[in-house]
Amino acid sequence: LISFIPRLPYRIQVPTGLAVAVTVSVLMVSIVAARISERTARREIVVTVQRVITLLAAQGRPLLVAEDTFRAYALLRNTAALLPDADKGHTRAAILDADGRFLAGSDPLRLPTGEQALGVSVNARLLPRAKDVTTPRTVAAADGSLSLLQPILSEDEKVIGFVLAEVDAATFAPDWMALSKPGLIGAALAILVLGPLGWLAGRRMAQPIAQIVRSIALIGRVDPAKVRELLPTVADIELGQIAGAVHRLVGEMVANQANEQRALAAERLAAVGRITAAVAHEINNPLAGLLTAVRTLRLHGDAPDTRLRTVDLIERGLHQIGTMTTALLPQARVEDRCLSPNDLEDVMTLARANASTHAVSLDAARELGADLLVASTVFRQVMLNLLLNAIKAAGEGGQVHAALYADPQTVRFTVSNTGRAMSKTELQQRLGTEGGNDPQGFGLWICQEFAIRYGGGFEASDPSAISPPFSTSLSFWLPNRHHHDDQEVAAD
Amino acid sequence: MRRRRFLDCIAAVGLPLVGAHASAAAPTLRVGLTAVILADQAAFLARWSEYLSERVGVAVTFVARDSYQAILDLLFAKQLDAAWICGYPYVRHQAQLRLLAVPLYQGRPLYQSYLIRTRGAANLNGWSDLKGRVLAYSDPLSNSGWLVGQAQLRAAGLGPQDLRRSFFAHGHSNVADAVASGLAQAGCIDGYVWETMHLQKMATVAATQVIWRSDFYGFPPIVVRRDDPNAALALLGQTLLRMHDEPGGQDLLRALNLGGFAKPAPALYDSIRSLVKLVHGAHA
């Protein structure tokens, strides 16, 4: 019941709780009253029996003298009605002769006329001998019953008989029905009144709670102002605290939503800026190589091979710019071919113009143990970015070494350079700035973005693993799959 | 309780008249009643008193006592004019008493004495079973309620010392009460009284059983002092003898469970005389 009650609504819980409380109170009061009543009732019963005995001793004396059994019986029968619980047969009285035999008893079947009463066990009670009863005696039995004896004296103080009263233990037992009846009636009346009142009180208690619950349920689904309107105004301290907390929660949610909106707008602006910068950067990177190719074409364009190769280079460079700018748009799907060994040559060609400008020694190597099944535009852009970044890091008179590796699982491009070293931590910090704040770092940021987007990796080698004279080695890899168009975008 | 109610009524109706007799000149006949009938019926006695008064021409009142001796004392002290007593006291005092009328019970002026036991006391079936038991008598001057019992105990070879206890219950109905409650295991009772109580479906009788019936004896008579010259007593006797001829008288007789009254002869009580001789001789 205890575990079941909390699952009931307040309008049931409150009246039920009140009813249980009243009933338990009545029960406790009845138990205490019964204990008190038992003690006082025992005294009162004994006093009443003693009074009856005194009356019988006085009225029975002439009958005892006359040995008038029937009139003694009539006296006992009528007087025994004064004994407590006599109607239930729990008390009885008798007049005994001087030898302790029954002259008559109020219940002749239990107090048989002429039979010995004193000095023997009667009704499971052992009474004292007649000669030992010279004053009133009370004999208590183990079962709680009592036998009261009073000698009847002649005018010259001789014992001529006795009055015996027997009180069964049941007489002293509390009458639970009588004791609890007033309490039960009171409890019933109280429940009758408290039931409806409790129901109303429970409903009144539950109403603001239910309203608060409804308001909380609407958070996030309706306008916060509407939620605030629905919140009840309560005088109760605890409910007021709950309502206040919900008010604050809604306020904080409104503030958070505004902040998120602002952050989103800022993020969008930042993203637009990053894309714009990246596009500009990616266009700018091959421009130096293309300009060199144009100069080459201008200077050596008469030679058909040179012209054709240079024009092809320019075409591929321009095509790369076009494809790259499209690839930088997050939702774009780019139709691209697979990387080829010539792409490494193109990229090296485009980078050499920059390397020569900075007087940097640039060479490349390749170890292709499998077909190159990665998107050419992405990989070309990464290779170019890493080479230009390495040339810049190597500085005047520095060295840059590029290497392209392929195995059935990955296609990896590694660029090592002399000059200022870049550790793994420094690379991560560099990438963590998102490049957007540092126009010089866009190349690395784009490599990182491509690695994430196409399920590859981009990392700096541990300094101990780098062969001298190089101080920095950056490595970019992509999964070597069947066809770049089948690649799933790992991150968008 | 019935006796107490009756005595209360008598105290209210009869006793003042007895007291008035000594000082008032108004002619009144006072009739003493004993336990030979169920005298504890004030309404009946009032009706009977009225019936007799109308026909005798003087007020007839009833005076009840719960012992035969008390009624005899009042009669011999001239506090009563007539008395309904048992055959045994009549026999004892027949020299001073004159028979006025005798009731007819079941058509004859005879009745029996019963020995009764508590209902269900299967091991008590006769006088010889009374050894170690408690026996209730009606009155020491009762034929059916004492004298017959004494003779039967003697015949059964039992003396007073063989009983655990015996006592007088001061009336036949009290004997039935004592036996029914278990105060006594057996009792000597007037057969007419027991049957009348049985007819009236009294609870105390229902709790008893008759285990022995005596021979027939002369029914308790209505007697007057032999030397009383009151002429109204003759009228009282004639009225009683004619009761069965009148509807009013028949109603009263029906209530008494009697058929009428007859002119008695002293020889009717010879069997009691024999019993007295037997018992008193034994006692002697």
Side-chain angles (χ1 to χ4, degrees):
Chain A
L1 180 66
I2 296 298
S3 60
F4 178 67
I5 283 179
R7 284 182 277 162
L8 296 171
Y10 273 122
R11 61 183 182 279
I12 304 295
Q13 269 195 54
V14 172
T16 305
L18 288 171
V20 170
V22 168
T23 306
V24 169
S25 300
V26 166
L27 196 64
M28 300 301 289
V29 169
S30 295
I31 290 171
V32 173
R35 297 299 303 166
I36 296 170
S37 170
E38 191 178 14
R39 283 199 292 270
T40 55
R42 189 177 184 87
R43 279 198 301 272
E44 288 173 4
I45 287 168
V46 171
V47 168
T48 302
V49 173
Q50 285 171 337
R51 286 176 182 158
V52 171
I53 287 175
T54 303
L55 175 66
L56 286 172
Q59 297 290 316
R61 189 165 63 180
L63 307 179
L64 188 62
V65 172
E67 295 184 13
D68 193 336
T69 294
F70 188 82
R71 285 193 172 123
Y73 166 67
L75 171 68
L76 289 163
R77 187 177 55 183
N78 296 332
T79 310
L82 301 174
L83 292 171
D85 275 356
D87 55 329
K88 297 176 185 170
H90 293 159
T91 50
R92 62 206 74 86
I95 294 175
L96 316 180
D97 62 19
D99 297 327
R101 289 175 305 202
F102 289 110
L103 176 71
S106 61
D107 181 353
L109 296 178
R110 299 182 68 174
L111 308 169
T113 306
E115 288 201 356
Q116 188 66 36
L118 299 186
V120 297
S121 182
V122 177
N123 296 326
R125 297 176 178 90
L126 180 60
L127 297 174
R129 292 177 300 181
K131 65 178 183 180
D132 297 331
V133 183
T134 54
T135 55
R137 295 275 298 268
T138 300
V139 181
D143 65 352
S145 61
L146 280 185
S147 297
L148 292 90
L149 267 170
Q150 180 168 318
I152 300 174
L153 304 177
S154 64
E155 289 185 358
D156 58 354
E157 301 293 317
K158 178 175 169 29
V159 175
I160 58 173
F162 308 88
V163 174
L164 167 67
E166 291 183 345
V167 185
D168 292 344
T171 307
F172 301 117
D175 185 351
W176 287 103
M177 184 56 80
L179 286 170
S180 57
K181 194 174 177 181
L184 289 174
I185 292 172
L189 289 173
I191 290 168
L192 208 63
V193 173
L194 291 175
L197 288 179
W199 190 85
L200 289 173
R203 197 175 67 164
R204 193 172 173 184
M205 277 176 66
Q207 204 167 19
I209 296 171
Q211 202 170 338
I212 290 172
V213 169
R214 282 196 296 273
S215 303
I216 292 171
L218 289 172
I219 291 175
R221 292 195 289 169
V222 300
D223 183 22
K226 179 73 176 172
V227 174
R228 280 179 162 163
E229 280 178 18
L230 289 172
L231 278 172
T233 305
V234 290
D236 182 83
I237 294 173
E238 286 80 5
L239 285 177
Q241 287 174 346
I242 294 171
V246 176
H247 263 292
R248 285 193 296 278
L249 177 64
V250 172
E252 286 169 7
M253 284 187 67
V254 170
N256 283 340
Q257 282 178 354
N259 289 336
E260 284 173 3
Q261 290 295 328
R262 281 195 293 276
L264 187 60
E267 179 65 21
R268 282 174 182 159
L269 288 174
V272 169
R274 276 198 303 273
I275 290 171
T276 306
V279 168
H281 180 268
E282 297 313 299
I283 292 171
N284 192 48
N285 273 350
L287 276 182
L290 290 175
L291 287 172
T292 302
V294 169
R295 278 196 301 274
T296 302
L297 188 61
R298 184 175 290 128
L299 292 174
H300 308 286
D302 293 339
D305 292 344
T306 303
R307 185 175 66 246
L308 185 59
R309 194 172 61 246
T310 305
V311 170
D312 287 345
L313 177 63
I314 291 169
E315 186 183 11
R316 287 195 298 272
L318 292 173
H319 185 68
Q320 179 186 340
I321 289 169
T323 306
M324 193 63 231
T325 53
T326 304
L328 285 170
L329 297 176
Q331 277 76 35
R333 287 184 66 86
V334 181
E335 294 296 329
D336 197 4
R337 61 179 174 80
C338 286
L339 187 69
S340 72
N342 290 335
D343 287 318
L344 177 61
E345 298 304 322
D346 280 356
V347 169
M348 291 299 291
T349 302
L350 291 171
R352 276 196 184 94
N354 193 273
S356 62
T357 304
H358 292 88
V360 172
S361 169
L362 177 64
D363 63 357
R366 59 187 182 195
E367 292 178 22
L368 304 178
D371 291 340
L372 297 169
L373 300 176
V374 293
S376 64
T377 303
V378 170
F379 223 91
R380 281 169 61 103
Q381 190 65 33
V382 168
M383 288 189 295
L384 184 58
N385 285 355
L386 291 180
L387 283 170
L388 294 178
N389 186 71
I391 290 166
K392 185 180 177 183
E396 291 285 333
Q399 294 180 42
V400 172
H401 174 74
L404 179 65
Y405 306 97
D407 59 33
Q409 283 74 43
T410 57
V411 176
R412 181 180 297 274
F413 181 69
T414 303
V415 176
S416 304
N417 64 271
T418 57
R420 190 170 58 85
M422 180 183 287
S423 66
K424 284 185 175 180
T425 307
E426 193 177 353
L427 176 62
Q428 290 303 319
Q429 287 174 347
R430 194 78 171 271
L431 295 174
T433 60
E434 296 185 354
N437 299 327
D438 178 11
Q440 303 302 317
F442 264 122
L444 296 178
W445 177 74
I446 285 172
C447 292
Q448 169 78 1
E449 288 299 306
F450 280 143
I452 294 169
R453 186 170 178 181
Y454 292 102
F458 178 53
E459 59 195 3
S461 298
D462 192 83
S464 61
I466 301 171
S467 303
F470 302 107
S471 57
T472 300
S473 180
L474 300 179
S475 182
F476 175 88
W477 63 270
L478 290 177
N480 194 12
R481 294 176 180 167
H482 295 301
H483 192 275
H484 67 89
D485 286 343
D486 297 333
Q487 288 178 344
E488 292 179 359
V489 174
D492 200 359
Chain B
M1 290 302 290
R2 288 194 306 278
R3 177 161 303 283
R4 176 171 291 177
R5 281 201 311 273
F6 171 74
L7 292 175
D8 291 343
C9 293
I10 292 302
V13 178
L15 289 180
L17 294 176
V18 173
H21 175 69
S23 55
T28 301
L29 285 182
R30 295 162 305 279
V31 180
L33 298 178
T34 60
V36 295
I37 62 163
L38 295 171
D40 191 4
Q41 299 180 39
F44 166 76
L45 291 177
R47 281 194 292 129
W48 196 15
S49 173
E50 185 181 356
Y51 174 87
L52 295 174
S53 299
E54 285 175 0
R55 284 154 182 78
V56 175
V58 297
V60 177
T61 58
F62 293 103
V63 176
R65 293 290 184 272
D66 59 3
S67 80
Y68 295 12
Q69 188 60 56
I71 288 295
L72 287 172
D73 289 344
L74 289 173
L75 182 64
F76 293 135
K78 299 184 178 178
Q79 295 295 313
L80 296 175
D81 301 297
W84 195 348
I85 61 173
C86 185
Y88 175 41
Y90 163 70
V91 168
R92 289 188 64 172
H93 300 283
Q94 59 187 335
Q96 299 145 283
L97 298 174
R98 177 166 58 88
L99 294 169
L100 187 66
V102 62
L104 296 172
Y105 173 58
Q106 295 176 338
R108 296 189 298 171
L110 301 173
Y111 80 122
Q112 291 170 289
S113 172
Y114 288 176
L115 178 66
I116 59 173
R117 70 179 184 192
T118 308
R119 180 171 288 278
N123 53 356
L124 205 168
N125 296 301
W127 293 100
S128 57
D129 294 331
L130 288 175
K131 187 171 184 180
R133 313 280 185 144
V134 179
L135 179 63
Y137 298 115
S138 175
D139 189 283
L141 290 179
S142 170
N143 173 55
S144 59
W146 186 77
L147 188 65
V148 173
Q150 293 300 300
Q152 292 302 317
L153 281 174
R154 182 170 177 271
L158 297 176
Q161 70 281 359
D162 293 319
L163 302 175
R164 191 206 305 163
R165 187 180 290 263
S166 63
F167 62 87
F168 293 105
H170 314 288
H172 293 294
S173 62
N174 289 343
V175 171
D177 196 5
V179 175
S181 67
L183 186 66
Q185 279 97 56
C188 300
I189 189 170
D190 185 322
Y192 155 74
V193 173
W194 191 92
E195 295 292 351
T196 302
M197 292 173 76
H198 183 65
L199 197 67
Q200 295 177 1
K201 302 185 187 313
M202 291 185 176
T204 50
V205 172
T208 64
Q209 286 176 302
V210 177
I211 55 174
W212 179 86
R213 288 176 170 83
S214 72
D215 294 332
F216 287 94
Y217 295 96
F219 203 95
I222 297 174
V223 299
V224 297
R225 289 187 303 279
R226 185 176 287 277
D227 57 353
D228 192 341
N230 191 342
L233 290 174
L235 281 174
L236 176 64
Q238 290 168 11
T239 302
L240 290 171
L241 296 178
R242 287 198 295 266
M243 272 183 73
H244 67 280
D245 295 331
E246 297 180 284
Q250 290 167 4
D251 287 345
L252 293 167
L253 289 170
R254 199 174 299 113
L256 284 166
N257 191 29
L258 295 174
F261 286 91
K263 182 76 178 169
L268 183 63
Y269 300 97
D270 285 348
S271 56
I272 296 178
R273 289 188 185 92
S274 302
L275 212 53
V276 170
K277 285 179 184 171
L278 176 69
V279 172
H280 283 270
H283 285 177

